[in-house]
Amino acid sequence: MKLNRQFILSCLLFGLIFTTISAKPKAASNDEIIYHIFQRSFYDSNGDYHGDLNGIRQKLDYLQDLGVTSILLTPLYESAFYHNYFAIDFEKIDPKYGTLADYLKLIKELHRRGMKFYMDMETQYVTEDSRWWKEAFGNPQSPYSDYILWDDKDNQKPSTIVYNLTGLKGYDGITRKITTANLNSDASKAYNLKLFSYWIDPNGDGKFDDGVDGFRLDHMMDDLDNKGRLPHLFDTFWNPMLAQLRAINPKIKIVAEQANWFSLGNEYLEHGGVDRVFGLRLCFAIRSFDKKLLLANADSTLAMLPPGKQQVVFIENHDVPRFSYAVKGDLTKMKVGCAFNLLMGGIPTIYYGQELGMTGTSANFGATDANEIPDRQAFEWYKSDTGKGMALWYKQTGPWKDQFNGDKPNDGISLEEEQQDPNSLWHYYKKMIAIRKANPALVDGSYKTIGNDNDHVFTFMRRDARQTILVAINLSDKETGANIDAGGNPVGIIGDVKPALKDRKLAVTLPAFGVAAWALK
């Protein structure tokens, strides 16, 4: 959901509450790294400053070189809003991104390379520009009347959306009305099934080379917006439809964004019919550099999953300030964030430009639809922050033209600069991705927090039938030692720290914000 959400780390106190699940997960392959793209800001292929589908296709070599295996885009459908949530037409691709032919060419090229594609969907809301609204407003006899939730029998009062809002002011300064779709009507259920089914197999040949590999369900809820108007949607809407989609292609993966960011997502995994949820609480805990919060959230997020389910592990996305902003651009802390993101488990997701340390926050802007643009600025391909493909759409016109300061030339934050610097964050991401892929325990191994005697050192173990790996991360800005509750013969995988066996524990000394890992023989 693209509404301004307060990102206050003090809210992390919720993480001190554990949720216990007795079932242990079955084997589920995590051999995947997703690259999450806000496509309007990634790469512009035709010179109009808007990132597009052909631009993504042209940069697949870059993504594969980095080591990612899949991409997740924000919505592609036509919308009056720059982020493309709140649709005008779910069936039409935003012309700024390209055509259906461009889309299909991208999907087929991804699949040719052995990569996967996830589509972001939010069909719970539509704007006053949609055909449903235009034809059903004031007309209860319209065939689209049951597609929208009305607060009166004459179709004069479309129901409010989340937070009881009736509309939002867009990037262009124009306020547009938004309403809720009636997900429990037969017409809406049939429409959604047809829509989702189409994207699974556009040409209907059953081969799926032109179809999505999964969906991200934005703002998924059992009782939409907690209004009591659309209750029990897991049973009445989501589970029936998802079952039918899996009957078309049993391999698709469904990823839910918990509308309640304090939720571990267990209700979605156990009752909502989805395969994955986002590790929201773990994300916030990682950002805090607080061992107590990490302890409270790591086990409950990663070690207590229902059978066969997965967590998507991330440290930033399109809805939160950049991780670089959170750690004030500290390179060593950004490398710690990378280590947590890629080594802890689950399905890692990297937000475009995260590997460069791109910065941005909406903290200095008011509550308008455009206030999160700083978290979604152009990928910085060049040292000068200008050049072919730079998706500087927000700098061309309008009230936001001169209000961004995250994309500065010659600041060390660009692909061109970082590829030439062996100590750069980009090189660190590439190295850590390669290490993850080379060690099966870091891909599919179980997660277990390991104790130690230092309040600033976080240690955990990843283990599968072939390999046991111990990871230690110093959360402080000072060199520090710790005695870890682990034994064995440690062989270095990350860093040059050499543990010593002391009183049946491994004694280590870690540099400030140091990351180390060993295979235990």
Side-chain angles (χ1 to χ4, degrees):
M1 172 67 62
K2 300 291 114 12
L3 298 175
N4 186 29
R5 296 175 178 179
Q6 297 301 318
F7 190 79
I8 304 173
L9 287 177
S10 60
C11 291
L12 286 170
L13 292 175
F14 70 79
L16 296 174
I17 301 172
F18 284 90
T19 300
T20 302
I21 302 172
S22 59
K24 293 184 179 180
K26 298 177 183 177
S29 178
N30 296 321
D31 190 15
E32 187 173 3
I33 297 174
I34 300 173
Y35 197 76
H36 184 187
I37 303 176
F38 186 78
Q39 63 270 4
R40 195 176 298 278
S41 297
F42 188 58
Y43 190 81
D44 165 31
S45 72
N46 60 5
D48 67 357
Y49 297 104
H50 291 261
D52 49 45
L53 293 165
N54 286 333
I56 295 170
R57 183 168 53 83
Q58 291 172 17
K59 290 299 180 180
L60 291 182
D61 283 347
Y62 166 72
L63 298 181
Q64 285 198 297
D65 179 61
L66 181 62
V68 301
T69 66
S70 311
I71 64 171
L72 163 66
L73 304 185
T74 44
L76 292 170
Y77 45 69
E78 187 180 30
S79 169
F81 298 95
Y82 77 93
H83 44 62
N84 296 94
Y85 291 88
F86 309 120
I88 293 176
D89 187 343
F90 293 112
E91 301 169 44
K92 183 179 179 182
I93 291 174
D94 185 328
K96 289 292 185 181
Y97 298 146
T99 65
L100 178 61
D102 295 330
Y103 166 81
L104 293 172
K105 190 179 294 184
L106 170 63
I107 301 305
K108 289 186 177 182
E109 179 60 19
L110 284 165
H111 290 163
R112 187 189 69 80
R113 293 168 178 255
M115 301 177 75
K116 296 179 180 179
F117 175 78
Y118 295 93
M119 176 175 279
D120 195 349
M121 297 290 280
E122 181 200 58
T123 57
Q124 301 95 307
Y125 307 105
V126 293
T127 69
E128 62 182 303
D129 306 287
S130 73
R131 183 177 182 181
W132 301 356
W133 184 308
K134 288 181 176 178
E135 296 199 14
F137 185 81
N139 181 16
Q141 304 307 313
S142 166
Y144 297 104
S145 183
D146 285 344
Y147 286 62
I148 287 176
L149 192 67
W150 305 95
D151 289 344
D152 68 326
K153 60 182 177 62
D154 297 322
N155 289 12
Q156 295 287 339
K157 296 179 180 179
S159 189
T160 60
I161 63 168
V162 62
Y163 307 134
N164 287 319
L165 293 171
T166 57
L168 287 172
K169 180 183 287 188
Y171 161 72
D172 56 8
I174 299 173
T175 297
R176 290 175 175 84
K177 297 176 183 177
I178 306 172
T179 191
T180 300
N182 183 9
L183 298 185
N184 268 339
S185 72
D186 290 340
S188 186
K189 291 176 183 179
Y191 178 83
N192 274 273
L193 177 59
K194 182 178 179 181
L195 177 70
F196 279 75
S197 299
Y198 171 80
W199 294 119
I200 289 176
D201 189 8
N203 66 3
D205 66 357
K207 294 181 180 180
F208 311 121
D209 61 320
D210 56 351
V212 302
D213 297 282
F215 295 101
R216 175 190 181 273
L217 305 178
D218 187 82
H219 192 67
M220 184 181 180
M221 297 187 74
D222 190 32
D223 177 4
L224 187 58
D225 298 331
N226 298 313
K227 295 194 299 184
R229 295 288 307 278
L230 294 171
H232 314 302
L233 288 174
F234 285 175
D235 293 332
T236 63
F237 181 82
W238 290 114
N239 273 300
M241 183 177 74
L242 297 181
Q244 290 174 288
L245 297 181
R246 290 189 177 98
I248 299 171
N249 182 1
K251 293 183 179 180
I252 63 165
K253 296 294 183 182
I254 307 298
V255 190
E257 183 212 23
Q258 306 94 293
N260 176 4
W261 283 14
F262 298 144
S263 168
L264 285 167
N266 296 323
E267 66 273 29
Y268 293 84
L269 297 174
E270 293 185 312
H271 306 297
V274 307
D275 302 294
R276 303 169 178 172
V277 293
F278 288 90
L280 289 159
R281 286 170 44 160
L282 184 58
C283 166
F284 302 153
I286 292 169
R287 284 170 164 249
S288 75
F289 282 71
D290 185 309
K291 183 176 179 178
K292 290 183 179 179
L293 291 173
L294 281 163
L295 288 171
N297 288 284
D299 283 334
S300 52
T301 299
L302 295 169
M304 300 180 182
L305 284 167
K309 304 297 184 176
Q310 296 167 311
Q311 288 273 352
V312 177
V313 176
F314 68 103
I315 60 172
E316 63 178 72
N317 66 19
H318 63 299
D319 278 336
V320 300
R322 291 279 192 174
F323 188 82
S324 174
Y325 174 82
V327 300
K328 298 180 180 179
D330 187 313
L331 179 60
T332 55
K333 295 181 82 171
M334 286 190 281
K335 290 180 177 180
V336 167
C338 170
F340 276 122
N341 196 172
L342 292 168
L343 303 182
M344 292 190 84
I347 306 293
T349 296
I350 298 169
Y351 186 48
Y352 81 105
Q354 174 184 320
E355 73 273 26
L356 305 179
M358 282 178 54
T359 191
T361 178
S362 59
N364 298 324
F365 302 96
T368 71
D369 179 61
N371 72 336
E372 288 175 323
I373 290 176
D375 306 332
R376 307 163 184 172
Q377 294 181 87
F379 186 95
E380 299 184 56
W381 296 101
Y382 311 110
K383 180 178 180 179
S384 64
D385 278 338
T386 59
K388 182 181 178 181
M390 287 293 295
L392 297 167
W393 54 274
Y394 50 87
K395 286 195 171 184
Q396 303 312 302
T397 59
W400 295 83
K401 182 177 179 180
D402 300 314
Q403 296 194 44
F404 299 96
N405 55 17
D407 40 11
K408 295 179 180 178
N410 308 307
D411 61 357
I413 305 174
S414 72
L415 182 62
E416 181 182 4
E417 291 164 286
E418 295 191 36
Q419 284 183 328
Q420 298 171 6
D421 177 5
N423 190 48
S424 71
L425 185 63
W426 181 83
H427 274 286
Y428 193 78
Y429 265 90
K430 189 173 181 180
K431 174 184 174 182
M432 295 298 273
I433 290 172
I435 289 172
R436 180 184 185 273
K437 291 186 176 184
N439 292 276
L442 294 176
V443 175
D444 286 326
S446 62
Y447 173 90
K448 183 181 180 181
T449 300
I450 300 298
N452 67 70
D453 61 357
N454 190 310
D455 290 340
H456 300 290
V457 175
F458 190 78
T459 46
F460 61 91
M461 190 173 287
R462 303 290 310 282
R463 174 182 288 164
D464 71 354
R466 298 160 289 178
Q467 193 180 36
T468 299
I469 294 178
L470 175 67
V471 180
I473 299 176
N474 182 1
L475 302 170
S476 75
D477 60 357
K478 296 179 177 60
E479 180 182 89
T480 190
N483 295 303
I484 306 171
D485 298 338
N489 179 28
V491 177
I493 294 176
I494 298 172
D496 56 7
V497 176
K498 296 181 179 180
L501 192 61
K502 179 181 178 183
D503 297 329
R504 298 183 179 180
K505 296 184 178 182
L506 292 179
V508 300
T509 300
L510 297 168
F513 299 119
V515 176
W518 310 270
L520 300 182
K521 303 295 184 180

